[in-house]
Amino acid sequence: MAYDNKNPYQRVNDGVYDSYLNSAIMLPTMFNMVGQVNVPSQFANNVFNSTETVQKALFLDIALVNNTTTNNGNTLVGVNGNSFTLNSKVVLSLFKNWNKIQFEGTNVNNLTITLKDNNNTTIRTINNGEDLTNYNITDDEIKIAVNFTGSCTITNIKLQVNTRKLDNNSGVELSSSQISGLSYWQSQIEEDIENIVVNTNSIGDNAVTTSKIANGTIIDEDISSSANINLSKIADDNIQTLASNKPYDIFTVNQYGFKNTNFMLTVLKWRSLSASKLQATILIDNLLPLAPKYVIALWSENRRSTSDLALTNTNANWYVDNNSKDASFRIYQGSNHTFSWDFFMISTR
């Protein structure tokens, strides 16, 4: 595009046109931006000037001087020993520093680029397309001296500068009606905040309380098979005896139900009549008065007397199948003593 007298960049000493008030003329006041000029395409006549007169190009005033290359209007063609200089002056109100200077075309590696200030003092030699931000070149008027070390054809020159924001005492105020999509972003932000709050409350230790659990939602699968719920945590009036059995003098079986649920607790006591040494697996038929529909947890506890506490290698466990009244026991005792164990089962009925 050719240079536009109403270009959207706010140039020093240029007028502000109402047709550009909502364009990039406002953006540099709010953000740090990178402005780019392409020459010769953004000169007033779309070509490299054949004389050394200054031309406008958006936020730059540029003159091609000391040129020994062949100027074809849209290209600069040179060989080893040719050179030219671009006198460049930034006229951008919020100019901060130079960002990049890049030559495009063929064999652009055959160029050396030196930046000089307005007094013709060398600032530094740069590489083609190098990031100049860290050098903080704040001169608004520089000379770009280009020397050819071999054949080269230049078709485009990119000149980039960084802008600065307004200071803290200045600002631009826009009404919400001027910002497209504001309601969408507001709803998205509100949703994100809600998700953050929910996730924060759900991931911490001890974060789930009774108020966060809907009534009537805890089911059988939610209780671990190793839950080991203590009877002291269950109110007495919520337990009712379902069945009991004493098939042998050494076995006592009691089964309890919990009101308003289908859970069942089976308590079995095995007390041997005399000291013995056992190592066996025993299956007892029809030991339970009520068969469990689904076994949730099984565990056992040693009930030996105080005098037996020094004995070792004593173990016992049991197994009950779903929908069966039979029970299997595995016992191992390393020495003779009275066998005294309690067995527990949580199941459904």
Side-chain angles (χ1 to χ4, degrees):
M1 79 178 198
Y3 174 78
D4 185 351
N5 284 321
K6 297 180 180 179
N7 87 76
Y9 294 94
Q10 189 175 359
R11 291 170 54 107
V12 176
N13 300 322
D14 271 12
V16 177
Y17 296 88
D18 59 352
S19 58
Y20 286 91
L21 284 177
N22 292 321
S23 64
I25 195 171
M26 304 297 288
L27 293 178
T29 65
M30 295 179 286
F31 308 102
N32 293 323
M33 298 179 61
V34 177
Q36 177 173 300
V37 170
N38 295 291
V39 292
S41 61
Q42 291 178 339
F43 277 146
N45 56 3
N46 293 299
V47 296
F48 287 110
N49 51 329
S50 57
T51 64
E52 298 189 354
T53 57
V54 176
Q55 289 197 54
K56 287 184 176 181
L58 297 182
F59 52 81
L60 288 173
D61 290 340
I62 304 175
L64 176 63
V65 301
N66 302 325
N67 178 38
T68 62
T69 69
T70 300
N71 183 353
N72 294 318
N74 57 357
T75 61
L76 296 175
V77 181
V79 295
N80 183 31
N82 288 149
S83 63
F84 66 87
T85 298
L86 283 179
N87 289 344
S88 304
K89 181 178 182 181
V90 182
V91 289
L92 185 63
S93 297
L94 295 174
F95 168 69
K96 183 179 181 181
N97 52 31
W98 285 87
N99 179 279
K100 182 186 294 186
I101 298 172
Q102 183 169 354
F103 294 85
E104 296 179 340
T106 58
N107 299 322
V108 291
N109 290 333
N110 292 333
L111 300 176
T112 60
I113 309 164
T114 303
L115 304 184
K116 300 180 179 181
D117 62 19
N118 198 35
N119 296 318
N120 218 34
T121 301
T122 297
I123 300 173
R124 68 181 308 109
T125 298
I126 63 170
N127 295 319
N128 187 29
E130 181 180 0
D131 183 357
L132 305 179
T133 303
N134 293 332
Y135 302 144
N136 196 29
I137 302 173
T138 59
D139 301 71
D140 59 355
E141 190 169 354
I142 64 172
K143 300 178 185 295
I144 306 171
V146 180
N147 290 282
F148 287 63
T149 59
S151 61
C152 174
T153 298
I154 298 173
T155 58
N156 184 47
I157 305 174
K158 291 182 178 178
L159 303 174
Q160 293 183 356
V161 299
N162 295 321
T163 69
R164 58 180 173 82
K165 295 188 295 184
L166 291 175
D167 58 38
N168 293 333
N169 297 319
S170 305
V172 175
E173 184 174 321
L174 297 176
S175 67
S176 59
S177 61
Q178 292 176 288
I179 305 176
S180 176
L182 182 62
S183 59
Y184 169 79
W185 290 109
Q186 181 178 353
S187 64
Q188 291 300 305
I189 292 171
E190 290 173 351
E191 181 179 336
D192 290 342
I193 292 175
E194 182 178 350
N195 290 336
I196 291 171
V197 172
V198 171
N199 291 334
T200 301
N201 288 338
S202 63
I203 61 174
D205 294 340
N206 303 316
V208 178
T209 62
T210 183
S211 63
K212 295 183 175 66
I213 302 174
N215 293 337
T217 60
I218 301 299
I219 60 175
D220 178 67
E221 287 81 359
D222 296 325
I223 300 177
S224 168
S225 60
S226 59
N228 198 19
I229 300 173
N230 196 303
L231 288 179
S232 64
K233 301 292 178 65
I234 304 174
D236 293 341
D237 60 355
N238 283 332
I239 303 176
Q240 55 185 350
T241 301
L242 298 177
S244 59
N245 190 22
K246 192 173 182 181
Y248 310 102
D249 289 339
I250 60 175
F251 287 105
T252 301
V253 183
N254 290 292
Q255 293 181 304
Y256 306 92
F258 304 100
K259 289 182 180 179
N260 303 318
T261 73
N262 66 343
F263 289 109
M264 179 171 65
L265 169 65
T266 299
V267 180
L268 185 148
K269 295 182 180 180
W270 185 352
R271 301 290 185 266
S272 61
L273 300 179
S274 60
S276 61
K277 180 178 180 180
L278 298 173
Q279 184 174 351
T281 298
I282 303 170
L283 172 65
I284 302 177
D285 298 333
N286 295 313
L287 180 61
L288 307 177
L290 295 177
K293 182 177 181 181
Y294 177 74
V295 177
I296 298 175
L298 288 161
W299 65 97
S300 55
E301 183 177 357
N302 189 354
R303 292 294 184 184
R304 286 180 293 167
S305 62
T306 303
S307 60
D308 292 329
L309 290 178
L311 298 176
T312 59
N313 297 326
T314 301
N315 201 351
N317 54 63
W318 70 320
Y319 183 80
V320 179
D321 285 317
N322 295 336
N323 302 306
S324 173
K325 294 183 179 181
D326 302 339
S328 298
F329 298 87
R330 185 180 184 280
I331 307 101
Y332 177 80
Q333 296 179 180
S335 57
N336 292 329
H337 63 278
T338 301
F339 190 78
S340 178
W341 279 83
D342 288 349
F343 300 90
F344 306 91
M345 176 175 64
I346 290 288
S347 63
T348 58
R349 54 190 169 99

